[in-house]
Amino acid sequence: MRVTLAQLEAFYWTAQLGSAHRAAQHLNLAQPTLSLRLRDLRAALGSDVLERRARGLRLTAEGRALLPRVASIMAELRGIAGDDPARDVAGPVRVGLAEGFAVSCLPPLLAGLQQDHPALRPEWVVSTSTTLEQALLRDTLDLAVLLNPVGDERLHLGPLGAQPTSWVVPAGWGLAGPVTPRDLWSLPVISNPPPSAMHRQIAHWFGTAALAPARLSICSSVAVIAELVAGGIGAGLLPVPMARRYVVEGTMRLVAAEPAVENGLLFTSFREGVDDPKVLAVARTIGRVMRDIHYVQA
């Protein structure tokens, strides 16, 4: 049996939309017709390219290898027809965001994706960067924005720039700065748990003076850490854009540090070898939005 263009089109849209039902609707086909084309493709290739999961159909390893080749064929067809490629980026995509980044950047990212690819259906996961990195490796996320990733050769990293970062303290503490590790080591400090990027940044800064914070409290949420600092509980290390609202409210102060705090480095990340048009489209939009809102430094 030969592989046909109709079979490849059925496979492409089922992979994009995660459902044979939605793919049939998109192609204006009866679902039994689309299912027949998928069965014929399986017979022609001699292997399964899709498998059923609890939340719909997912690509097998053979399907992931095939999808980039089929996407190229679909792109050529769009070029011949003169279609807008943005219309063909559709369906669900699982996107993880480091929490400190998400607090400031998720609203413009939502608007940017709606503008660039209105048929995409992003599913957002907000957590610590190290948790997101592990989710990428487990294939439970398609793409993530990571802060100071640990790094794994199985992941592609696309640099976005530096996220401005600063020590923040309750306004009532009266610290003027620049603060040194010796100034803060005996005061309450709140951090994400190890091995998070925040915890590594804090440990490195205190380590420059061969110190460790004596009153370190652990909290898994960056947003809650900001509330705790604003409430007078302790000092923290936060993205500057996230802290500005509290500074304007008068509950928190940014303090300069000696030595200076290293800014966090942000990356888009997905598994090496992935050529899914949805993933690449989201990565492009994230880069564009970051440039438009001037969130990162070079």
Side-chain angles (χ1 to χ4, degrees):
M1 181 180 292
R2 293 191 309 117
V3 174
T4 68
L5 184 58
Q7 294 164 7
L8 295 178
E9 186 179 48
F11 163 72
Y12 177 79
W13 283 109
T14 303
Q16 286 282 76
L17 299 175
S19 160
H21 175 70
R22 287 193 290 265
Q25 287 182 321
H26 181 83
L27 294 170
N28 295 316
L29 296 173
Q31 185 167 336
T33 300
L34 184 127
S35 297
L36 178 61
R37 292 179 182 181
L38 292 175
R39 286 197 297 270
D40 289 344
L41 178 63
R42 178 189 181 281
L45 297 175
S47 62
D48 288 316
V49 292
L50 293 163
E51 60 184 356
R52 187 165 297 281
R53 296 283 184 90
R55 298 182 62 187
L57 293 173
R58 290 286 305 277
L59 293 168
T60 64
E62 292 81 3
R64 286 194 293 271
L66 177 64
L67 182 60
R69 302 174 67 181
V70 177
S72 298
I73 295 171
M74 295 296 107
E76 288 294 330
L77 291 175
R78 289 193 298 269
I80 293 170
D83 289 342
D84 178 5
R87 294 189 310 173
D88 284 345
V89 180
V93 59
R94 303 163 301 174
V95 185
L97 301 179
E99 187 181 4
F101 171 86
V103 168
S104 301
C105 297
L106 184 51
L109 283 181
L110 281 168
L113 283 174
Q114 182 61 34
Q115 176 185 344
D116 292 352
H117 304 290
L120 271 180
R121 292 188 287 111
E123 302 170 2
W124 303 98
V125 175
V126 177
S127 186
T128 63
S129 186
T130 48
T131 300
L132 299 175
E133 200 167 351
Q134 291 303 309
L136 285 172
L137 293 170
R138 292 194 306 270
D139 196 22
T140 57
L141 283 179
D142 299 310
L143 171 83
V145 175
L146 304 179
L147 174 69
N148 291 349
V150 176
D152 189 293
E153 62 183 8
R154 292 169 289 176
L155 296 180
H156 167 84
L157 296 175
L160 290 171
Q163 176 176 260
T165 306
S166 175
W167 277 109
V168 291
V169 299
W173 280 14
L175 286 177
V179 295
T180 67
R182 189 159 296 280
D183 294 325
L184 290 184
W185 81 273
S186 63
L187 297 175
V189 173
I190 312 165
S191 170
N192 280 163
S196 67
M198 178 190 293
H199 191 277
R200 283 182 276 129
Q201 284 177 292
I202 289 174
H204 174 75
W205 187 76
F206 278 101
T208 61
L211 293 172
R215 300 170 63 187
L216 182 68
S217 296
I218 296 298
C219 177
S220 62
S221 169
V222 179
V224 172
I225 290 174
E227 292 292 332
L228 292 172
V229 175
I233 303 302
L237 194 64
L238 294 179
V240 172
M242 180 182 182
R244 285 194 182 113
R245 172 172 68 87
Y246 298 94
V247 173
V248 171
E249 292 173 352
T251 57
M252 180 186 295
R253 296 185 62 189
L254 298 167
V255 289
E258 180 58 46
V261 173
E262 292 185 2
N263 290 330
L265 299 179
L266 291 168
F267 298 82
T268 54
S269 182
F270 46 86
R271 291 180 304 283
E272 281 287 0
V274 166
D275 197 17
D276 184 336
K278 292 181 291 186
V279 172
L280 301 180
V282 173
R284 286 193 297 269
T285 294
I286 290 173
R288 177 185 68 76
V289 171
M290 292 303 95
R291 292 189 295 272
D292 289 349
I293 67 175
H294 306 290
Y295 181 82
V296 293
Q297 300 174 350

